Amino acid sequence: MDTHFLHHVLLHLHIFKNAGTTFDRALSKLFQDQMTSYDTENPGARISIEHLTQIQQAHPESRVITSHQVGLPVPVYSGVIFHPVFFLRNPIERIQSCYHFEKDVQKLMNDDVTMEMYVRRNLNNPKINACFGIQLATITDNRYINNWNRDELTDIVVNSALNNMQTARCFGLVDRFDESFEFICHRLETYFPELAQNIKPAQQNISQASKNIDDKTKYVQESLSKETYSKMLDALKGEIILYETAQKVFENRYNKYSKRT
């Protein structure tokens, strides 16, 4: 197929607290007015394949689209090719990041709300939420999820997410952000020459958490009762499998890439 006449769109699946703001800032510097950031007014809404098609067609000049509400699969239609990109994060470590961000930055809870209270509240929430299910739900085939409920996160959903991660042209890991950004640029620069520019993204909303995973996961465990910690691990089972597999896939891909450079 002659790709010269195709319009390529980098589609950023912006997962909350997964280095998405840092990635978007870097893309914005490179693509400027050719980048579209789009979320609906309803924070809990999801963007369907049909809706994403409408967004792209309403912004035909855009070569980057980023959204917290978009998922997979991407639309397929004449003349346009989407290249989905996403970042994954240790699901235990990201809980403390969500907690501190919502409490200390967004001011969504009182100072006396402990991590124990926060995790229990999210465990009791039947909906897919910031702590439980968001990574799986974003990169699985979203046609398996109709109501955005956690009980929809079946083995089929986990396997779909694993398949989409393993077949993705590229994805990143938050704890290896610089390497991830370098690798994403390498994999996509054929379609987006701007990515060949040697830039170092300025980190946004990223604490030292992503660089000290062992300490942070231990912090989560020590902040929770044994019962809550056990329930948390059970609720995160699918995302832990996804993340641990993603680590191996990324390590293999990056090692092959680095040996050639």
mmCIF file of all heavy atoms in Angstrom, residues 12-16 38-48 51-52 55 66-72 134 137-138 142 148:
data_model
loop_
_atom_site.group_PDB
_atom_site.id
_atom_site.type_symbol
_atom_site.label_atom_id
_atom_site.label_comp_id
_atom_site.label_asym_id
_atom_site.label_seq_id
_atom_site.Cartn_x
_atom_site.Cartn_y
_atom_site.Cartn_z
ATOM 1 N N HIS A 12 -3.318 9.385 21.312
ATOM 2 C CA HIS A 12 -2.844 9.157 22.680
ATOM 3 C C HIS A 12 -4.002 8.771 23.581
ATOM 4 O O HIS A 12 -4.900 9.573 23.826
ATOM 5 C CB HIS A 12 -2.146 10.415 23.217
ATOM 6 C CG HIS A 12 -1.685 10.266 24.638
ATOM 7 N ND1 HIS A 12 -1.532 11.338 25.492
ATOM 8 C CD2 HIS A 12 -1.351 9.162 25.375
ATOM 9 C CE1 HIS A 12 -1.136 10.905 26.666
ATOM 10 N NE2 HIS A 12 -1.022 9.593 26.622
ATOM 11 N N LEU A 13 -3.971 7.547 24.075
ATOM 12 C CA LEU A 13 -4.944 7.078 25.056
ATOM 13 C C LEU A 13 -4.451 7.539 26.427
ATOM 14 O O LEU A 13 -3.634 6.880 27.068
ATOM 15 C CB LEU A 13 -5.064 5.553 25.019
ATOM 16 C CG LEU A 13 -5.869 4.911 23.884
ATOM 17 C CD1 LEU A 13 -5.353 5.306 22.509
ATOM 18 C CD2 LEU A 13 -5.838 3.381 24.006
ATOM 19 N N HIS A 14 -4.906 8.702 26.838
ATOM 20 C CA HIS A 14 -4.394 9.368 28.036
ATOM 21 C C HIS A 14 -5.038 8.767 29.288
ATOM 22 O O HIS A 14 -6.159 9.106 29.651
ATOM 23 C CB HIS A 14 -4.674 10.867 27.948
ATOM 24 C CG HIS A 14 -4.035 11.669 29.037
ATOM 25 N ND1 HIS A 14 -3.851 13.036 28.931
ATOM 26 C CD2 HIS A 14 -3.533 11.332 30.248
ATOM 27 C CE1 HIS A 14 -3.272 13.479 30.033
ATOM 28 N NE2 HIS A 14 -3.083 12.456 30.848
ATOM 29 N N ILE A 15 -4.301 7.883 29.942
ATOM 30 C CA ILE A 15 -4.782 7.243 31.166
ATOM 31 C C ILE A 15 -4.400 8.108 32.359
ATOM 32 O O ILE A 15 -3.240 8.506 32.510
ATOM 33 C CB ILE A 15 -4.187 5.832 31.319
ATOM 34 C CG1 ILE A 15 -4.540 4.974 30.101
ATOM 35 C CG2 ILE A 15 -4.694 5.164 32.596
ATOM 36 C CD1 ILE A 15 -3.865 3.609 30.086
ATOM 37 N N PHE A 16 -5.371 8.408 33.204
ATOM 38 C CA PHE A 16 -5.169 9.258 34.384
ATOM 39 C C PHE A 16 -3.995 8.756 35.216
ATOM 40 O O PHE A 16 -3.887 7.579 35.534
ATOM 41 C CB PHE A 16 -6.453 9.245 35.220
ATOM 42 C CG PHE A 16 -6.379 10.029 36.509
ATOM 43 C CD1 PHE A 16 -6.227 11.398 36.497
ATOM 44 C CD2 PHE A 16 -6.476 9.378 37.734
ATOM 45 C CE1 PHE A 16 -6.175 12.126 37.683
ATOM 46 C CE2 PHE A 16 -6.434 10.092 38.929
ATOM 47 C CZ PHE A 16 -6.278 11.458 38.900
ATOM 48 N N TYR A 38 -9.229 16.365 23.249
ATOM 49 C CA TYR A 38 -10.688 16.317 23.275
ATOM 50 C C TYR A 38 -11.199 15.377 24.360
ATOM 51 O O TYR A 38 -10.818 14.209 24.426
ATOM 52 C CB TYR A 38 -11.236 15.853 21.926
ATOM 53 C CG TYR A 38 -12.747 15.839 21.856
ATOM 54 C CD1 TYR A 38 -13.447 16.952 21.416
ATOM 55 C CD2 TYR A 38 -13.471 14.710 22.251
ATOM 56 C CE1 TYR A 38 -14.843 16.944 21.365
ATOM 57 C CE2 TYR A 38 -14.858 14.696 22.197
ATOM 58 C CZ TYR A 38 -15.541 15.814 21.755
ATOM 59 O OH TYR A 38 -16.906 15.806 21.712
ATOM 60 N N ASP A 39 -12.050 15.901 25.235
ATOM 61 C CA ASP A 39 -12.818 15.117 26.186
ATOM 62 C C ASP A 39 -14.228 15.688 26.203
ATOM 63 O O ASP A 39 -14.415 16.897 26.018
ATOM 64 C CB ASP A 39 -12.226 15.181 27.608
ATOM 65 C CG ASP A 39 -10.954 14.373 27.745
ATOM 66 O OD1 ASP A 39 -10.957 13.194 27.345
ATOM 67 O OD2 ASP A 39 -9.944 14.913 28.250
ATOM 68 N N THR A 40 -15.219 14.856 26.438
ATOM 69 C CA THR A 40 -16.583 15.343 26.516
ATOM 70 C C THR A 40 -16.796 16.066 27.838
ATOM 71 O O THR A 40 -15.964 15.994 28.751
ATOM 72 C CB THR A 40 -17.596 14.188 26.407
ATOM 73 O OG1 THR A 40 -17.531 13.391 27.597
ATOM 74 C CG2 THR A 40 -17.301 13.324 25.193
ATOM 75 N N GLU A 41 -17.913 16.766 27.961
ATOM 76 C CA GLU A 41 -18.222 17.484 29.198
ATOM 77 C C GLU A 41 -18.562 16.535 30.345
ATOM 78 O O GLU A 41 -18.473 16.915 31.506
ATOM 79 C CB GLU A 41 -19.386 18.450 28.963
ATOM 80 C CG GLU A 41 -19.050 19.583 27.993
ATOM 81 C CD GLU A 41 -20.210 20.540 27.808
ATOM 82 O OE1 GLU A 41 -21.279 20.307 28.417
ATOM 83 O OE2 GLU A 41 -20.048 21.518 27.047
ATOM 84 N N ASN A 42 -18.931 15.328 30.021
ATOM 85 C CA ASN A 42 -19.242 14.320 31.033
ATOM 86 C C ASN A 42 -17.965 13.563 31.401
ATOM 87 O O ASN A 42 -17.433 12.808 30.586
ATOM 88 C CB ASN A 42 -20.287 13.339 30.498
ATOM 89 C CG ASN A 42 -20.625 12.229 31.495
ATOM 90 O OD1 ASN A 42 -20.113 12.206 32.606
ATOM 91 N ND2 ASN A 42 -21.473 11.317 31.080
ATOM 92 N N PRO A 43 -17.445 13.742 32.632
ATOM 93 C CA PRO A 43 -16.176 13.102 33.009
ATOM 94 C C PRO A 43 -16.204 11.580 32.914
ATOM 95 O O PRO A 43 -15.170 10.952 32.728
ATOM 96 C CB PRO A 43 -15.977 13.550 34.473
ATOM 97 C CG PRO A 43 -16.819 14.766 34.619
ATOM 98 C CD PRO A 43 -17.994 14.562 33.717
ATOM 99 N N GLY A 44 -17.379 10.987 33.049
ATOM 100 C CA GLY A 44 -17.469 9.537 33.018
ATOM 101 C C GLY A 44 -17.778 8.953 31.656
ATOM 102 O O GLY A 44 -17.947 7.737 31.522
ATOM 103 N N ALA A 45 -17.847 9.788 30.646
ATOM 104 C CA ALA A 45 -18.218 9.311 29.309
ATOM 105 C C ALA A 45 -17.043 8.619 28.622
ATOM 106 O O ALA A 45 -15.885 8.827 28.974
ATOM 107 C CB ALA A 45 -18.700 10.476 28.453
ATOM 108 N N ARG A 46 -17.369 7.784 27.648
ATOM 109 C CA ARG A 46 -16.362 7.160 26.809
ATOM 110 C C ARG A 46 -16.636 7.527 25.355
ATOM 111 O O ARG A 46 -17.790 7.713 24.950
ATOM 112 C CB ARG A 46 -16.380 5.635 26.956
ATOM 113 C CG ARG A 46 -16.111 5.152 28.368
ATOM 114 C CD ARG A 46 -14.771 5.627 28.906
ATOM 115 N NE ARG A 46 -13.641 5.101 28.159
ATOM 116 C CZ ARG A 46 -12.381 5.460 28.377
ATOM 117 N NH1 ARG A 46 -12.094 6.356 29.303
ATOM 118 N NH2 ARG A 46 -11.402 4.943 27.665
ATOM 119 N N ILE A 47 -15.579 7.657 24.597
ATOM 120 C CA ILE A 47 -15.695 8.047 23.191
ATOM 121 C C ILE A 47 -15.716 6.785 22.333
ATOM 122 O O ILE A 47 -14.769 5.996 22.345
ATOM 123 C CB ILE A 47 -14.531 8.966 22.799
ATOM 124 C CG1 ILE A 47 -14.660 10.300 23.551
ATOM 125 C CG2 ILE A 47 -14.491 9.193 21.294
ATOM 126 C CD1 ILE A 47 -13.480 11.220 23.373
ATOM 127 N N SER A 48 -16.783 6.598 21.603
ATOM 128 C CA SER A 48 -16.954 5.414 20.774
ATOM 129 C C SER A 48 -16.129 5.536 19.484
ATOM 130 O O SER A 48 -15.584 6.598 19.163
ATOM 131 C CB SER A 48 -18.427 5.237 20.416
ATOM 132 O OG SER A 48 -18.857 6.309 19.581
ATOM 133 N N HIS A 51 -17.727 8.144 17.407
ATOM 134 C CA HIS A 51 -17.468 9.489 17.898
ATOM 135 C C HIS A 51 -16.042 9.920 17.560
ATOM 136 O O HIS A 51 -15.802 11.064 17.151
ATOM 137 C CB HIS A 51 -17.698 9.541 19.408
ATOM 138 C CG HIS A 51 -17.742 10.920 19.963
ATOM 139 N ND1 HIS A 51 -18.032 11.193 21.288
ATOM 140 C CD2 HIS A 51 -17.508 12.138 19.400
ATOM 141 C CE1 HIS A 51 -17.996 12.496 21.499
ATOM 142 N NE2 HIS A 51 -17.668 13.080 20.362
ATOM 143 N N LEU A 52 -15.088 9.011 17.698
ATOM 144 C CA LEU A 52 -13.706 9.345 17.365
ATOM 145 C C LEU A 52 -13.579 9.664 15.872
ATOM 146 O O LEU A 52 -12.842 10.577 15.490
ATOM 147 C CB LEU A 52 -12.773 8.188 17.736
ATOM 148 C CG LEU A 52 -11.286 8.389 17.421
ATOM 149 C CD1 LEU A 52 -10.739 9.659 18.060
ATOM 150 C CD2 LEU A 52 -10.481 7.164 17.860
ATOM 151 N N ILE A 55 -14.695 13.170 15.478
ATOM 152 C CA ILE A 55 -13.687 14.110 15.983
ATOM 153 C C ILE A 55 -12.587 14.312 14.941
ATOM 154 O O ILE A 55 -12.189 15.448 14.643
ATOM 155 C CB ILE A 55 -13.085 13.594 17.312
ATOM 156 C CG1 ILE A 55 -14.138 13.549 18.411
ATOM 157 C CG2 ILE A 55 -11.911 14.486 17.750
ATOM 158 C CD1 ILE A 55 -13.705 12.778 19.636
ATOM 159 N N THR A 66 -5.512 13.531 21.417
ATOM 160 C CA THR A 66 -5.310 12.988 22.757
ATOM 161 C C THR A 66 -6.591 13.121 23.556
ATOM 162 O O THR A 66 -7.292 14.130 23.463
ATOM 163 C CB THR A 66 -4.145 13.699 23.482
ATOM 164 O OG1 THR A 66 -4.026 13.178 24.809
ATOM 165 C CG2 THR A 66 -4.351 15.206 23.553
ATOM 166 N N SER A 67 -6.902 12.079 24.330
ATOM 167 C CA SER A 67 -8.141 12.082 25.103
ATOM 168 C C SER A 67 -8.057 11.106 26.267
ATOM 169 O O SER A 67 -7.461 10.029 26.148
ATOM 170 C CB SER A 67 -9.324 11.704 24.208
ATOM 171 O OG SER A 67 -10.509 11.574 24.974
ATOM 172 N N HIS A 68 -8.669 11.497 27.399
ATOM 173 C CA HIS A 68 -8.796 10.585 28.543
ATOM 174 C C HIS A 68 -9.917 9.572 28.321
ATOM 175 O O HIS A 68 -10.027 8.602 29.079
ATOM 176 C CB HIS A 68 -9.138 11.366 29.818
ATOM 177 C CG HIS A 68 -8.065 12.284 30.297
ATOM 178 N ND1 HIS A 68 -7.907 13.560 29.806
ATOM 179 C CD2 HIS A 68 -7.106 12.120 31.241
ATOM 180 C CE1 HIS A 68 -6.897 14.142 30.430
ATOM 181 N NE2 HIS A 68 -6.386 13.292 31.294
ATOM 182 N N GLN A 69 -10.741 9.795 27.322
ATOM 183 C CA GLN A 69 -11.978 9.020 27.182
ATOM 184 C C GLN A 69 -11.996 8.100 25.971
ATOM 185 O O GLN A 69 -13.000 7.453 25.710
ATOM 186 C CB GLN A 69 -13.172 9.978 27.112
ATOM 187 C CG GLN A 69 -13.321 10.832 28.368
ATOM 188 C CD GLN A 69 -14.422 11.867 28.249
ATOM 189 O OE1 GLN A 69 -14.744 12.342 27.165
ATOM 190 N NE2 GLN A 69 -15.014 12.216 29.377
ATOM 191 N N VAL A 70 -10.902 8.026 25.265
ATOM 192 C CA VAL A 70 -10.845 7.195 24.072
ATOM 193 C C VAL A 70 -10.218 5.847 24.415
ATOM 194 O O VAL A 70 -9.454 5.722 25.364
ATOM 195 C CB VAL A 70 -10.041 7.906 22.957
ATOM 196 C CG1 VAL A 70 -8.549 7.934 23.287
ATOM 197 C CG2 VAL A 70 -10.296 7.275 21.606
ATOM 198 N N GLY A 71 -10.590 4.833 23.665
ATOM 199 C CA GLY A 71 -10.047 3.498 23.890
ATOM 200 C C GLY A 71 -9.793 2.787 22.580
ATOM 201 O O GLY A 71 -9.615 3.411 21.533
ATOM 202 N N LEU A 72 -9.788 1.474 22.649
ATOM 203 C CA LEU A 72 -9.563 0.636 21.472
ATOM 204 C C LEU A 72 -10.805 -0.196 21.190
ATOM 205 O O LEU A 72 -11.587 -0.458 22.100
ATOM 206 C CB LEU A 72 -8.354 -0.273 21.710
ATOM 207 C CG LEU A 72 -7.011 0.449 21.931
ATOM 208 C CD1 LEU A 72 -5.931 -0.552 22.307
ATOM 209 C CD2 LEU A 72 -6.608 1.226 20.686
ATOM 210 N N ILE A 134 -8.934 0.932 35.322
ATOM 211 C CA ILE A 134 -8.826 1.951 34.281
ATOM 212 C C ILE A 134 -7.832 1.567 33.184
ATOM 213 O O ILE A 134 -8.057 1.823 31.997
ATOM 214 C CB ILE A 134 -8.453 3.331 34.890
ATOM 215 C CG1 ILE A 134 -8.527 4.422 33.829
ATOM 216 C CG2 ILE A 134 -7.095 3.317 35.540
ATOM 217 C CD1 ILE A 134 -9.891 4.921 33.565
ATOM 218 N N ALA A 137 -9.410 -1.330 31.120
ATOM 219 C CA ALA A 137 -10.569 -0.867 30.354
ATOM 220 C C ALA A 137 -10.173 0.031 29.195
ATOM 221 O O ALA A 137 -10.862 0.067 28.176
ATOM 222 C CB ALA A 137 -11.532 -0.125 31.279
ATOM 223 N N THR A 138 -9.064 0.737 29.336
ATOM 224 C CA THR A 138 -8.640 1.653 28.277
ATOM 225 C C THR A 138 -8.062 0.929 27.079
ATOM 226 O O THR A 138 -8.312 1.324 25.935
ATOM 227 C CB THR A 138 -7.615 2.669 28.819
ATOM 228 O OG1 THR A 138 -8.218 3.439 29.860
ATOM 229 C CG2 THR A 138 -7.130 3.609 27.724
ATOM 230 N N ASN A 142 -13.012 -2.135 23.786
ATOM 231 C CA ASN A 142 -14.037 -1.552 24.652
ATOM 232 C C ASN A 142 -15.454 -1.994 24.308
ATOM 233 O O ASN A 142 -16.399 -1.641 25.016
ATOM 234 C CB ASN A 142 -13.932 -0.021 24.679
ATOM 235 C CG ASN A 142 -14.133 0.620 23.321
ATOM 236 O OD1 ASN A 142 -14.771 0.055 22.442
ATOM 237 N ND2 ASN A 142 -13.578 1.808 23.146
ATOM 238 N N TRP A 148 -19.250 0.203 31.907
ATOM 239 C CA TRP A 148 -18.098 0.706 32.665
ATOM 240 C C TRP A 148 -18.149 0.224 34.115
ATOM 241 O O TRP A 148 -17.816 0.922 35.046
ATOM 242 C CB TRP A 148 -18.036 2.225 32.586
ATOM 243 C CG TRP A 148 -16.652 2.808 32.745
ATOM 244 C CD1 TRP A 148 -16.222 3.590 33.764
ATOM 245 C CD2 TRP A 148 -15.528 2.659 31.861
ATOM 246 N NE1 TRP A 148 -14.901 3.942 33.572
ATOM 247 C CE2 TRP A 148 -14.449 3.386 32.405
ATOM 248 C CE3 TRP A 148 -15.342 1.989 30.667
ATOM 249 C CZ2 TRP A 148 -13.198 3.460 31.800
ATOM 250 C CZ3 TRP A 148 -14.091 2.056 30.058
ATOM 251 C CH2 TRP A 148 -13.052 2.780 30.625
#
